[in-house]
Structures are given as C-alpha cells and as structure tokens.
Amino acid sequence: MITRTVTNLAALHQRALEGFAAQVDALEPDHWTLPTPCADWNVRALVNHVAIEDLWTPPLLAGRTIADVGDAFDGDRIGAVPPQAVHDAAAGAIAAAAETGALERVVHLSFGDVPATEYVWQVTADHLIHGWDLARAVGADERLDPELVDACADWFADNEDAYRAAGAIGPRAAHQPRGPQEQLLVAFGRQP
C-alpha cells in the first residue's frame, strides 16, 4: 500500500495532469472525432471533460460552491487550440492543489462536502483513467504510470463500491485482470 501524504498527493496530482496533457499534445488532427471507451464521448468531448475538471479545481479548492461557479465552465472549453487550453487548465489546477493549506480545506461538491484530499484523489484518478481511455481511442501506448496506478488503486479500494452505487462508474468488466494496471481499469469499469 502507498502511504498517502498531502505532499505526495500534490505531486501525484501534478504528474497525472501533466501526463494527460502530454497525451493531448500527441493527438493528430484526425484523432479528435474518434470514439472512446466512454460511450457518450469522442476524443474531443473526453478532452473537454478533463479540461473542465481542471477549470473547476481552483475555485473548489478556494472554498467556492457549485452554485457560486454556476455555468461558468459549461460547453466547449478547449476551443480552437485544445492542447493549449488543456495545459492552461492543468496549470491552474496544479497551482491550486500545491498552494499551502489547500489540501487541508473542505471542498463543496454537488453531493456534499468532502475533504480536499478526497477531491484531489478523485481528480488524479480521473486523469489517469481518462488517459487510458484516450490512449485506447487513438491506438497509443496504453501503459500507465505504475506509481500512479498503485496510488490510485490504494485510494480507490475504499471508494469503489460507493462510486459504483452512485453511478459514477460502470460495472466491473468481465475480465480477469493481469497486474495492477488491469486491476485498476477493471475496478473503474474498463475492459483492458
């Protein structure tokens, strides 16, 4: 098991966000309309979702509520230059999570208040899993950062049932996982 510390979490969060942004940098023009393992999203919609998640991070870590932010981040947030939009959004989220005391706060989410650390774990895992979705969609290297896999698996072991019950993830894939990465993907409802 990974020892979870605030310092370690901020570093893991940064690696997950930067890793996803690097994948976006590698996309080709014909990749944006390809389907992804997320049935309702093509590559552009998936990347937009992740960028929006990063845009939400600074205000939520600053103590703002969903109602305070309102619809500020609705719609297409990646525009004509998606890689730049992704990098900009990630940079803001990384800075917000690294701010002194940020991970000791309470975050006000749509389903209730949670410790900031819980929220940042959610975001970190979402970037990692969606990074796999993106790689699968475009035929890129699907190997995930092993340290991020282990850390997210450690965090998610206590949360999988709640996420599934809330409809945030699909059913476990009917796949016999080989190794930690496949175990994590299966837990998140992916078919490795």
Side-chain angles (χ1 to χ4, degrees), residues 22-70:
Q23 288 180 274
V24 172
D25 288 340
L27 294 175
E28 299 292 337
D30 61 337
H31 287 160
W32 292 97
T33 58
L34 293 174
T36 71
C38 302
D40 295 334
W41 292 336
N42 65 14
V43 166
R44 185 176 178 86
L46 175 81
V47 171
N48 190 60
H49 160 76
V50 173
I52 288 171
E53 190 168 53
D54 289 343
L55 292 171
W56 273 98
T57 298
L60 291 177
L61 286 178
R64 295 183 67 196
T65 66
I66 302 293
D68 292 337
V69 177

Side-chain angles (χ1 to χ4, degrees), residues 57-152:
T57 298
L60 291 177
L61 286 178
R64 295 183 67 196
T65 66
I66 302 293
D68 292 337
V69 177
D71 62 1
F73 303 128
D74 287 358
D76 180 359
R77 305 308 295 182
I78 56 176
V81 188
Q84 186 61 53
V86 168
H87 280 277
D88 291 348
I94 290 165
E99 181 183 309
T100 302
L103 299 183
E104 298 165 10
R105 299 177 186 147
V106 172
V107 175
H108 311 289
L109 300 177
S110 60
F111 55 84
D113 292 350
V114 299
T117 53
E118 179 64 22
Y119 170 68
V120 173
W121 274 113
Q122 291 173 14
V123 171
T124 300
D126 205 47
H127 280 71
L128 184 66
I129 299 301
H130 283 320
W132 180 85
D133 293 332
L134 187 57
R136 172 63 57 104
V138 302
D141 184 353
E142 296 178 12
R143 288 175 295 178
L144 300 174
D145 178 321
E147 185 179 356
L148 284 172
V149 167
D150 289 345
C152 288

Side-chain angles (χ1 to χ4, degrees), residues 159-185:
N159 294 290
E160 181 181 352
D161 292 339
Y163 271 61
R164 190 159 284 111
I169 58 172
R172 271 186 166 262
H175 175 83
Q176 201 60 265
R178 296 179 311 254
Q181 176 174 313
E182 288 193 4
Q183 289 172 351
L184 182 64
L185 291 168

